Amino acid sequence: ATNTEEFGRFLAQNNLLNVATAPKVYRKYTTKKVFTMERLRGISMLDEETISKVTKDPEMGQQAIISALNIWTTSVMKMPWFHADVHAGNLLLLDDGRVGFIDFGIVGRVSEKTFKAVNELSVALSLGDYRGMAQALCNMGATDDKIDIDKFGHDLELVMRRIASVQPDMTIAEMQDGSVAGSLDFDESEVTNLLLELVDITEDNGLKLPREFGLLVKQSLYFDRYLKIL
């Protein structure tokens, strides 16, 4: 409940309530076992109805995902914690066009060292500089061994290319009225497996990364897949 309220205050303080919201918490009816909050009227980002709307207005779906990504990234930089479970069920496209963030049960906290290294990693990733990515990860992690940066960079390149090549699943069905409906989806376990593969590579190269980095990367993979789908 406290996390939900804090995220709502973050949105208000940054003038973001016109593009996103979090449920209002009804403290009077909330206990240690019962959480009572406002009902947000909308649908999951990857619900079939959402895809149908996006088909008619692609810009709407793209803007919703971009807004969600920008807000989440801003929260990572400005809040003491970040939403660490932004799978499709926890992001809603509301009836009024805004993005609804729900379920703040899993959050992560980023240390200054990790945050600095993540910024370095982001720059290297945008440039396709895999050696730079390897160096950023080394700056973030703990190790007693000397890391072969060139080998580590090559290993990262292989897994990043696999991540980029992953495609969503598409389902087409004929409705009773003769119209055709389509939906796009992805296997959530696939996101986890990609993350585990990345972790394996870092460990194989003698590096141990902080837990919060894994949480950050997983959320980033979610958003990457949403952008591909919508």
Side-chain angles (χ1 to χ4, degrees):
T2 299
N3 289 346
T4 304
E5 291 176 328
E6 287 184 2
F7 194 81
R9 286 194 292 270
F10 153 75
L11 293 174
Q13 291 166 358
N14 289 275
N15 301 313
L16 294 169
L17 288 175
N18 61 322
V19 292
T21 190
K24 175 183 177 181
V25 177
Y26 294 99
R27 285 286 184 177
K28 182 179 178 180
Y29 305 105
T30 296
T31 67
K32 291 183 178 180
K33 294 184 178 181
V34 178
F35 182 18
T36 307
M37 58 184 169
E38 171 190 12
R39 177 181 178 182
L40 298 184
R41 299 192 178 274
I43 45 185
S44 163
M45 282 289 189
L46 299 185
D47 185 273
E48 186 173 314
E49 188 176 344
T50 304
I51 300 299
S52 177
K53 287 183 178 180
V54 170
T55 300
K56 298 175 183 177
D57 186 5
E59 187 175 342
M60 178 188 68
Q62 293 169 3
Q63 187 55 53
I65 290 297
I66 291 172
S67 294
L69 174 57
N70 287 340
I71 290 169
W72 179 81
T73 302
T74 301
S75 74
V76 172
M77 294 186 291
K78 293 190 174 185
M79 294 185 69
W81 51 265
F82 63 91
H83 194 315
D85 197 22
V86 290
H87 62 72
N90 289 339
L91 287 178
L92 305 178
L93 179 60
L94 303 184
D95 293 347
D96 61 10
R98 294 185 299 167
V99 176
F101 286 81
I102 62 174
D103 192 357
F104 295 85
I106 302 177
V107 299
R109 300 178 187 275
V110 184
S111 67
E112 184 177 346
K113 176 184 176 182
T114 299
F115 188 74
K116 182 175 183 294
V118 166
N119 285 335
E120 296 171 350
L121 182 66
S122 297
V123 172
L125 180 59
S126 66
L127 296 174
D129 178 7
Y130 299 105
R131 191 182 189 283
M133 289 176 61
Q135 185 61 64
L137 289 171
C138 287
N139 294 341
M140 181 191 310
T143 179
D144 295 325
D145 303 318
K146 182 175 176 59
I147 305 296
D148 184 339
I149 299 294
D150 291 324
K151 175 184 178 300
F152 189 15
H154 176 69
D155 292 344
L156 286 172
E157 180 177 3
L158 294 178
V159 70
M160 293 305 296
R161 289 190 184 282
R162 281 198 290 277
I163 290 174
S165 67
V166 172
Q167 296 296 322
D169 297 323
M170 183 173 190
T171 302
I172 303 293
E174 184 175 355
M175 310 303 286
Q176 290 183 345
D177 61 2
S179 63
V180 176
S183 64
L184 290 164
D185 201 357
F186 65 88
D187 184 356
E188 187 173 330
S189 65
E190 191 173 16
V191 174
T192 300
N193 289 336
L194 288 170
L195 175 58
L196 291 175
E197 186 173 354
L198 185 59
V199 171
D200 286 343
I201 285 176
T202 61
E203 290 182 348
D204 288 345
N205 282 274
L207 193 65
K208 184 173 179 59
L209 297 176
R211 173 181 176 273
E212 63 263 28
F213 174 72
L215 290 173
L216 277 171
V217 171
K218 187 169 184 178
Q219 311 321 302
S220 299
L221 289 175
Y222 279 135
F223 281 113
D224 179 66
R225 301 303 303 281
Y226 299 153
L227 288 169
K228 287 182 179 179
I229 289 174
L230 295 180

